[in-house]
Amino acid sequence: MNGRTLVMMTLMLGLNWGGFAFLLWYGARRAKR
Amino acid sequence: MAKLESFSSRWGLILAGLGMAVGTGNMWRFPRIAAENGGAAFLIPWFIFLFIWSIPLLIAEFSIGRGTRRGAVGAFATLTQGRFAWMGGFVAVCTVMILFYYSVVTGWTLRYLVAAATGEFHTADPKAFWDAAASGWQAAGYHVVSALIGGWIIQRGVVKGIEAANKVLVPALFVLLVVSAIRAVTLPGAERGLDFLFNPDLSSLANYKTWLEALTQSAWSTGAGWGLILTFGIYLKKREDVVLHSATIGFGDNSASLLAGLAMLPVVFAILSLEDAHAALQAGNEGLMFIWVPQLFERMAGGSFMLPLFFLALVCAALSSLIAMIELASRILMDGGMARGKAVKLVVAAIIVVGMPSALDLTIFKNQDWVWGVGLMISGLFISLVVTMYGSTKFRKEFVNVTPGGWHVGPWFEYVLKYLIPAQFVIMFGWWMYTAATVYDPAGWWNPDPFNHTLSVGTCIVQWSVALGLLMFYNKRIAAASTRTPIEEEQE
């Protein structure tokens, strides 16, 4: 795997999965309040 | 007054929304289209369009459903004092026409799950197996089974039906995709597939086709503009944050697509030569999933264990989307005064009868997929138009920003709905029509014959015109019928 693939894979998975995980976490936290 | 059923929890609602959005398109269309359009370079516009098409439309739909407490037709009638009920009617017709043949698709996934679980692929010729399963009495039988399963779930209601089913289907789908992706990326040679998906060919960004494919993929995949989230919005409590939930569903759908890409492309590129891998990706959605995937898994270490899991994921994806469409159709009948049980029975009967030609003849299936798939872009436009007609500032204040302590949208939301979505529609719609006229059927692009000119412009124009003509002609009656029942109160 070349370096560019690794950078883009990290970026895309980070943005989409990270965003999804954050929204789930944020929603759960706010629901508890 | 009857109490309106509501989703019992935030999780129930999010899982239903994800189940609706994540469908077979995430698994068989996204990896193929991403790989063919510059890999990571495709992912950039695909991510951008999530914010300027999909999420704003999801927010609008949720808000319309919650604000009007009516299905697609009644909601449009309410927002426009009955004048443009036909627009909501078109949104409903598009999704219901898709529902008719999507039951056939769900049937295919069930057939393949059975075949994978019983080891039929050890001896079967993949092409011959697909030809037998795709159309004919086998497809018809599984189509009926799918419609009955979907109907059984929906007649149980929002909490015991939609919510309970999605609490199983959606987590199962994500877990199965994660397991499949782990197996795929640990295959020797998997990095070639990862390179194909993630190595950015930035020159593709200069190609307009990359952007149009990315917009189309986002529009179809997230379920924005289908009227489905509008229908789920009816069962949303006033305190639920539509902006947060829309974003969660949009990001969740993207995440599922990437997982499917990780589960699929490394397998294709690890097992096949580069030439064959390209042939597999160009075999179309069904060709890749139903002809190539069984062969690939047969040749993969642990493949006979992974194949049933993979098709089980596909069944979960298909069924959770199918039930959302059945709910949309049933809700419209319920707005007209019909009880849930009777409405669902009628919808299931219609699916079985009207979907049958698509099960028996693949040409009809492809024609319907083409006509109503592109029709969905018009649905998206209509949703943005109804907001504009109601008054986008008024809509934002009265329908969207009503949750105390919730995320509120600013004036940007109005600009997106008023200008950006119509502009994107014109470009995307124009491009698909242009492609049909110059690539799919240059000689007979005008010909409406669905059998010999399956993917023509003419067949779209004629079928949409029939639907729009009838809806406009009967607009007054449709508006009255769709708002006949009193609006039910929210359950506490």
Side-chain angles (χ1 to χ4, degrees), chain B residues 47-287:
Chain B
F47 188 69
I48 293 172
F49 287 123
L50 181 66
F51 294 93
I52 57 174
W53 177 280
S54 299
I55 291 178
L57 276 177
L58 289 174
I59 295 171
E61 282 199 42
F62 255 145
S63 308
I64 292 172
R66 182 176 62 178
T68 62
R69 301 287 187 206
R70 303 264 187 219
V73 186
F76 273 66
T78 306
L79 289 176
T80 62
Q81 283 87 42
R83 282 177 300 145
F84 294 94
W86 61 269
M87 279 189 174
F90 188 81
V91 173
V93 165
C94 267
T95 303
V96 172
M97 293 306 282
I98 290 173
L99 160 64
F100 292 148
Y101 70 77
Y102 202 74
S103 171
V104 179
V105 174
T106 311
W108 292 341
T109 66
L110 284 173
R111 176 70 191 98
Y112 269 70
L113 173 63
V114 171
T118 55
E120 281 181 69
F121 293 120
H122 296 325
T123 51
D125 170 57
K127 177 75 174 65
F129 189 90
W130 166 242
D131 288 341
S135 58
W137 293 110
Q138 211 181 107
Y142 279 93
H143 156 63
V144 173
V145 171
S146 301
L148 291 174
I149 295 174
W152 176 76
I153 293 170
I154 291 302
Q155 59 84 26
R156 293 170 58 85
V158 176
V159 176
K160 286 184 183 166
I162 299 171
E163 206 176 305
N166 280 307
K167 275 182 177 168
V168 177
L169 293 172
V170 176
L173 168 64
F174 272 85
V175 169
L176 290 167
L177 278 179
V178 169
V179 172
S180 303
I182 290 172
R183 177 67 198 108
V185 299
T186 51
L187 284 171
E191 66 276 5
R192 284 198 296 159
L194 293 177
D195 275 333
F196 220 79
L197 182 59
F198 290 111
N199 190 14
D201 169 16
L202 291 177
S203 65
S204 300
L205 284 176
N207 184 351
Y208 70 95
K209 200 170 157 258
T210 305
W211 289 80
L212 286 162
E213 286 285 11
L215 171 57
T216 309
Q217 180 61 27
S218 186
W220 278 341
S221 178
T222 52
W226 292 54
L228 296 168
I229 277 295
L230 185 156
T231 308
F232 282 176
I234 300 170
Y235 313 116
L236 209 60
K237 288 187 174 143
K238 287 205 182 84
R239 64 164 187 267
E240 294 291 353
D241 185 340
V242 293
V243 181
L244 178 62
H245 293 331
S246 302
T248 309
I249 292 166
F251 271 84
D253 183 74
N254 269 21
S255 299
S257 291
L258 285 172
L259 265 179
L262 288 179
M264 184 79 98
L265 291 175
V267 179
V268 173
F269 284 90
I271 292 178
L272 298 174
S273 66
L274 203 59
E275 200 180 314
D276 284 345
H278 284 287
L281 291 175
Q282 282 161 8
N285 296 334
E286 295 89 8

Side-chain angles (χ1 to χ4, degrees), chain A residues 1-2 4-6 8-10 12-13 15-31 33, chain B residues 10-11 18 40 43-44 47 191 194-195 198-200 241 244 247-248 251-252 254-255 258-259 262 405-407:
Chain A
M1 196 191 302
N2 70 40
R4 280 155 60 96
T5 299
L6 201 61
M8 277 310 281
M9 189 164 92
T10 312
M12 278 300 150
L13 296 182
L15 278 175
N16 288 282
W17 292 1
F20 183 43
F22 168 76
L23 291 167
L24 286 176
W25 167 81
Y26 179 79
R29 201 188 71 145
R30 220 177 53 190
R33 273 197 278 135
Chain B
R10 196 183 62 87
W11 272 109
L18 284 172
L43 301 180
I44 295 166
F47 188 69
E191 66 276 5
L194 293 177
D195 275 333
F198 290 111
N199 190 14
D241 185 340
L244 178 62
T248 309
F251 271 84
N254 269 21
S255 299
L258 285 172
L259 265 179
L262 288 179
W407 278 1

Side-chain angles (χ1 to χ4, degrees), chain B residues 2 9 46 72 88 90 132 134 157 180 209 231 255 284 297 324 342 355 367 390 393 410 421 442 446 474:
Chain B
S9 66
W46 170 72
F90 188 81
S180 303
K209 200 170 157 258
T231 308
S255 299
F297 278 73
K342 195 174 167 193
N367 175 260
Y390 182 79
T393 307
I421 285 177
W446 51 270
Y474 290 111

Side-chain angles (χ1 to χ4, degrees), chain B residues 402-422:
Chain B
V402 293
T403 313
W407 278 1
H408 288 182
V409 287
W412 64 267
F413 177 77
E414 296 172 35
Y415 296 122
V416 171
L417 280 233
K418 214 167 170 177
Y419 304 113
L420 222 47
I421 285 177

